Amino acid sequence: MVAMSLWHRISGKIVATWNLDNYIEFFSKSHLLKALLNSIEISLSVTLISVLLAYPLAWIIANRVPKKWQRLALIMAILPFWTSYVVRSYAWLLVLAKNGIVNTFLQNIGLIDLPLAIASTRYATITGFVHFFVMLLTLTIYANLRQLSPNYARAAADLGASGFRTFWHVILPLSLPGIMVGAFLTFVLSIGDYITPKILGGSNELVLPQVIMLQIGRRADFPSAAAMSMILMAVVTVAYIACAKWLKMERS
């Protein structure tokens, strides 16, 4: 892949001309940089929203659901995993379309007169991603919460800490490794995804995986696509190094 990114497609043929022109071209074109920025912004938004939704769900399952029912609760939480990824994306497209469930409901109760343009937008892409990754984060956070000894909370209570202070100063810091691992997986999987942005986001706001597929499908420009893939991989590598460094600092 690295070697291919340094070559060129000339007159329909891939020529091994070793230079950095593909990378220079990428960083000199605003629409390509915009696609990369879109990918990062969407992935960060999905990660943040998924964490905020998954943590309460994982905490409820771990601490409020009776132990004998926790396995059933987890199975219910991951049920959408049993459906095809493509099918889930098209299902959300039907829900968010102009004549879909959301717009029909809002019009029936009189909140809107004209249907909202939700499908084929960034918000639709984020919605589809969050639906999927909340389940993944719930599993990683739940696993971390189950490993925490109840003696931590008891010790904090003995020292006079309220329930909120116990959670904020004891439970949350101890569960951060599970959050970070799940957040990293969410970021990596969402930034490299092509299907959901293609189905739900359409072509109004391209992300980098879509641009890569366009280079391959329409232009057969494999060197340019390889360079973009390496740039995307570099972003993922930076995220991994930051996450690994943080986890190492927490353990030390």
Side-chain angles (χ1 to χ4, degrees):
M1 186 74 74
V2 174
M4 178 70 72
S5 71
L6 300 175
W7 297 350
H8 278 83
R9 182 178 180 274
I10 302 175
S11 300
K13 297 181 180 180
I14 296 177
V15 182
T17 54
W18 300 88
N19 53 60
L20 298 173
D21 287 352
N22 289 323
Y23 293 94
I24 295 173
E25 180 184 15
F26 178 87
F27 288 104
S28 63
K29 291 187 175 180
S30 60
H31 68 280
L32 297 179
L33 290 174
K34 179 61 176 176
L36 176 60
L37 183 61
N38 290 340
S39 295
I40 295 174
E41 289 177 349
I42 290 174
S43 298
L44 289 176
S45 299
V46 168
T47 302
L48 178 60
I49 296 172
S50 298
V51 168
L52 294 177
L53 293 176
Y55 195 97
L57 177 59
W59 188 87
I60 290 172
I61 295 175
N63 296 285
R64 289 293 180 264
V65 176
K67 193 171 183 180
K68 64 179 181 179
W69 298 110
Q70 288 184 8
R71 181 173 298 180
L72 177 61
L74 287 174
I75 292 176
M76 295 297 292
I78 65 173
L79 270 178
F81 274 117
W82 300 359
T83 307
S84 168
Y85 192 60
V86 176
V87 171
R88 283 200 305 271
S89 297
Y90 275 111
W92 272 112
L93 183 62
L94 293 175
V95 170
L96 300 175
K98 285 190 175 182
N99 58 345
I101 297 174
V102 173
N103 277 312
T104 301
F105 173 75
L106 294 177
Q107 286 179 304
N108 288 339
I109 63 176
L111 285 181
I112 59 174
D113 295 325
L114 298 175
L116 301 175
I118 306 175
S120 298
T121 65
R122 172 181 294 201
Y123 305 108
T125 300
I126 292 176
T127 300
F129 273 142
V130 168
H131 175 227
F132 179 79
F133 290 115
V134 161
M135 300 175 291
L136 176 64
L137 273 159
T138 298
L139 293 179
T140 60
I141 296 172
Y142 169 83
N144 188 250
L145 290 173
R146 288 298 299 165
Q147 294 176 359
L148 301 182
S149 172
N151 292 328
Y152 292 123
R154 294 169 186 164
D158 288 341
L159 294 173
S162 63
F164 176 79
R165 287 175 64 86
T166 299
F167 169 78
W168 188 256
H169 294 287
V170 179
I171 303 301
L172 181 59
L174 291 175
S175 59
L176 282 178
I179 296 175
M180 289 298 295
V181 170
F184 171 72
L185 291 175
T186 299
F187 179 83
V188 171
L189 293 174
S190 59
I191 200 172
D193 191 277
Y194 165 76
I195 298 297
T196 298
K198 176 64 176 178
I199 296 175
L200 294 177
S203 301
N204 295 327
E205 194 174 33
L206 295 179
V207 293
L208 193 54
Q210 289 177 280
V211 178
I212 293 173
M213 290 300 296
L214 289 174
Q215 298 298 313
I216 296 173
R218 293 186 180 180
R219 300 178 57 191
D221 192 346
F222 291 94
S224 179
M228 296 180 192
S229 299
M230 295 307 303
I231 292 170
L232 193 61
M233 189 178 297
V235 173
V236 172
T237 302
V238 170
Y240 168 76
I241 292 174
C243 183
K245 185 177 181 180
W246 184 90
L247 289 173
K248 185 177 180 180
M249 290 174 59
E250 283 292 308
R251 293 192 184 101
S252 61

